[in-house]
């Protein structure tokens, strides 16, 4: 596949290969490093009741040996290069990636090993049993962390009885029941033969990457359509933790266009994502109600949420709820100053400028934009887009996504269900 090198360095975007592998790339001529990610379009929301946790379990097993490499051979190769190899599972996808010094030899080795893990894993029985225990310990660690466990409880509330409500890892009992046959079938269907998108950023030879990826078999396009329904209202659930975790969440209408996305990022920064944000200033600094307070978004192929999270003492729960409601109500009055918008925009531009030299940051930004069907912007385009956001863009977003929309308010703590007033 012939590609004009000068055009590629300028574009560095999306290429669909003849075997239906999608390559999303950004060339960084100044970099001495590269980041390579393989994204498989399967996650916890694809799992049936008898398969809970199988995507995450399968992700772990990718590192446990292939037809030509033992487990130690895989990690040894990356350690020898001074690089890293890792993976994670989300509700929509499994992502396996490496970050390493970008010599031609290193990149060829890394891509070859990642392809080997994609096509030739053997799932040794002894490794499955050891990893089963490792994952069960991981689940227990999540259950011992209030923020981690509360996110799972929040998902169950916002998407009750839907695919997005399921935990990514499954339960300890779920993991205990998964068989080798199930794991291997899952691997064959989704990892070895299902949709594959490869992300690469840094300094690399484009034609070499293309030629290596085109050796993979043709990928099947699987029909996985979702239509999650957001559940609003109030819920309080008891936990065994001393602290209380609160969430005040609004649904996102997907897909967002590029202007809506960056308007939301600016809103998020001024509302709760910086140390000068409204939530940090008013709840923590002015009133001392909490230690941790922030706003955040989570996006999936068909839906998403944006809102606030607070961790506080149980005695402050009602006051925190009152303050959160007040802050969201104030947004709906359209009272957003030019100064805080300017500060939020420059904060985001600074983050982008600092991150643009980090190949892992750039790779994960490519993945995020690709998953959300957003334009694949380089650093200059990103900064220009952020700075072009106007107050009216933010107000339009608030009017269509927050005003007259009932939130999902969730309290995870010691008090009983009807102890709080909204």
């Amino acid at each position: 596949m012939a590609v004009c090198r000068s055009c590629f360095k300028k574009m560095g975007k999306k290429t669909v290969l003849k075997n239906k592998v999608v390559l999303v790339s950004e060339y960084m001529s100044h970099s001495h490093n590269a980041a390579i990610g393989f994204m498989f379009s399967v996650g916890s929301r694809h799992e049936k009741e008898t398969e809970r946790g199988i995507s995450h379990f399968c992700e772990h097993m990718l590192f446990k040996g292939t037809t030509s490499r033992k487990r130690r051979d895989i990690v040894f190769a990356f350690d020898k290069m001074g690089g890293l190899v890792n993976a994670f599972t989300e509700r929509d996808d499994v992502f396996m990636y490496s970050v390493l010094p970008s010599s031609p030899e290193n990149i060829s080795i890394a891509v070859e090993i990642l392809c080997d893990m994609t096509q030739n894993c053997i799932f040794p029985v002894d490794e499955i049993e050891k990893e089963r225990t490792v994952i069960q310990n991981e689940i227990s660690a999540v259950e011992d962390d209030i923020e981690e466990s509360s996110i799972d409880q929040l998902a169950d509330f916002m998407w009750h009885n839907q695919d997005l409500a399921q935990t990514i890892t499954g339960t300890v009992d779920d993991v205990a029941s998964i068989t080798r046959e199930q794991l291997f079938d899952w691997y064959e269907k989704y990892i070895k033969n299902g949709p594959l998108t490869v992300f690469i950023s840094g300094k690399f030879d484009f034609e070499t990457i293309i030629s290596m990826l085109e050796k993979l078999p043709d990928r099947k396009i699987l029909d996985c359509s979702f239509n999650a329904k957001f559940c609003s209202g109030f819920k309080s659930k008891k936990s065994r933790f001393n602290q209380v975790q609160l969430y005040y969440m609004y649904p996102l209408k997907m897909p967002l266009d590029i202007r809506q996305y960056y308007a939301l990022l600016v809103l998020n920064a001024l509302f709760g994502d910086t140390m000068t944000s409204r939530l940090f200033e008013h709840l923590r600094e002015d009133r001392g109600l909490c230690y941790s307070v922030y706003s955040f978004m989570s996006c999936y192929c068909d839906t998403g949420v944006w809102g606030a999270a607070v961790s506080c003492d149980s005695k402050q729960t009602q006051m925190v709820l009152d303050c959160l409601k007040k802050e969201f109500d104030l947004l709906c009055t359209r009272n957003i100053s030019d100064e805080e918008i300017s500060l939020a925009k420059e904060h985001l531009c600074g983050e982008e400028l600092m991150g643009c030299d980090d190949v892992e940051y750039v790779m994960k930004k490519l993945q995020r934009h690709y998953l959300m069907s957003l334009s694949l912007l380089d650093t200059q385009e990103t900064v220009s887009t952020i700075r072009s956001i106007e107050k009216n863009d933010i107000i339009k977003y608030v009017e269509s996504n927050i005003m007259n929309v009932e939130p999902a308010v969730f309290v995870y703590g010691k008090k009983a269900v009807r102890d709080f007033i909204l």
Side-chain angles (χ1 to χ4, degrees), residues 382-400:
T382 299
V383 169
S384 296
T385 303
I386 292 169
R387 287 185 172 147
S388 73
I389 297 299
E390 299 175 350
K391 181 187 292 188
N392 194 49
D393 294 310
I394 300 169
I395 290 173
K396 280 183 179 179
Y397 182 85
V398 171
E399 288 175 343
S400 62

Side-chain angles (χ1 to χ4, degrees), residues 81-142:
M81 292 185 283
L84 64 87
V85 62
N86 207 344
F88 56 84
T89 301
E90 299 287 0
R91 287 174 164 83
D92 275 336
D93 56 86
V94 170
F95 196 74
M96 176 173 66
Y97 68 98
S98 174
V99 181
L100 67 162
S102 61
S103 73
E105 182 184 11
N106 283 352
I107 291 176
S108 292
I109 292 170
V111 173
E112 196 277 321
I113 294 175
L114 293 174
C115 287
D116 189 27
M117 294 164 71
T118 299
Q119 294 301 124
N120 302 309
C121 283
I122 56 174
F123 293 80
V125 173
D126 60 333
E127 294 288 354
I128 288 174
E129 295 313 313
K130 286 188 288 185
E131 207 60 26
R132 193 189 306 275
T133 303
V134 169
I135 293 169
Q136 289 172 329
N137 275 282
E138 181 182 353
I139 293 168
S140 297
V142 168

Side-chain angles (χ1 to χ4, degrees), residues 184-201:
F184 197 77
D185 288 347
W186 196 263
Y187 172 79
E188 286 273 327
K189 180 177 182 180
Y190 291 107
I191 307 300
K192 188 173 181 177
N193 295 300
L196 170 62
T197 307
V198 176
F199 301 85
I200 183 165
S201 61

Side-chain angles (χ1 to χ4, degrees), residues 158-355:
M158 293 190 298
W159 296 294
H160 191 59
N161 286 334
Q162 300 177 71
D163 48 76
L164 278 177
Q166 305 305 321
T167 63
I168 292 171
T169 59
T171 66
V172 168
D173 289 340
D174 289 333
V175 172
S177 68
I178 294 172
T179 67
R180 182 185 184 277
E181 290 72 26
Q182 283 181 299
L183 282 167
F184 197 77
D185 288 347
W186 196 263
Y187 172 79
E188 286 273 327
K189 180 177 182 180
Y190 291 107
I191 307 300
K192 188 173 181 177
N193 295 300
L196 170 62
T197 307
V198 176
F199 301 85
I200 183 165
S201 61
K203 194 171 185 178
F204 54 91
D205 184 84
F206 188 60
E207 286 84 358
T208 299
I209 300 297
I210 291 283
S211 65
M212 296 185 74
L213 294 178
E214 285 190 333
K215 293 176 183 177
L216 293 170
D218 287 358
R219 314 301 290 191
K220 295 177 183 177
I221 306 302
L222 303 175
D223 182 20
C224 296
S225 56
F226 297 106
N227 187 24
K229 303 294 184 183
F230 179 81
C231 301
S232 57
F234 174 78
K235 182 178 181 180
S236 176
K237 185 168 183 177
K238 276 193 171 184
S239 79
R240 57 188 175 80
F241 298 101
N242 291 322
Q243 287 285 98
V244 174
Q245 197 76 17
L246 295 91
Y247 295 94
Y248 212 105
M249 308 301 299
Y250 287 86
L252 290 181
K253 299 173 186 176
M254 300 295 286
L256 301 172
D257 64 36
I258 197 70
R259 241 186 134 67
Q260 290 171 325
Y261 175 68
Y262 279 104
L264 176 55
L265 284 188
V266 173
L267 173 63
N268 187 58
L270 70 87
F271 191 71
D273 194 40
T274 68
M275 292 182 70
T276 55
S277 66
R278 293 183 175 193
L279 294 183
F280 195 89
E281 282 285 313
H282 298 165
L283 272 73
R284 175 172 163 155
E285 297 300 292
D286 291 347
R287 301 194 61 180
L289 290 175
C290 55
Y291 170 70
S292 174
V293 55
Y294 57 92
S295 59
F296 70 103
M297 71 177 84
S298 295
C299 297
Y300 307 97
C301 62
D302 55 328
T303 189
V305 289
W306 175 74
V310 184
S311 182
C312 68
D313 186 272
S314 60
K315 296 175 183 177
Q316 267 73 50
T317 303
Q318 185 64 60
M319 285 185 284
V320 169
L321 283 171
D322 293 342
C323 286
L324 286 175
K325 184 177 187 304
K326 179 181 177 181
E327 294 299 332
F328 281 105
D329 287 346
L330 281 173
L331 275 185
C332 296
T333 68
R334 306 174 182 85
N335 184 18
I336 304 172
S337 72
D338 292 335
E339 181 182 18
E340 60 183 340
I341 292 173
S342 176
L343 184 61
K345 291 198 297 187
E346 291 309 308
H347 172 82
L348 291 171
C349 289
E351 284 187 335
E352 177 66 21
L353 291 168
M354 287 189 292

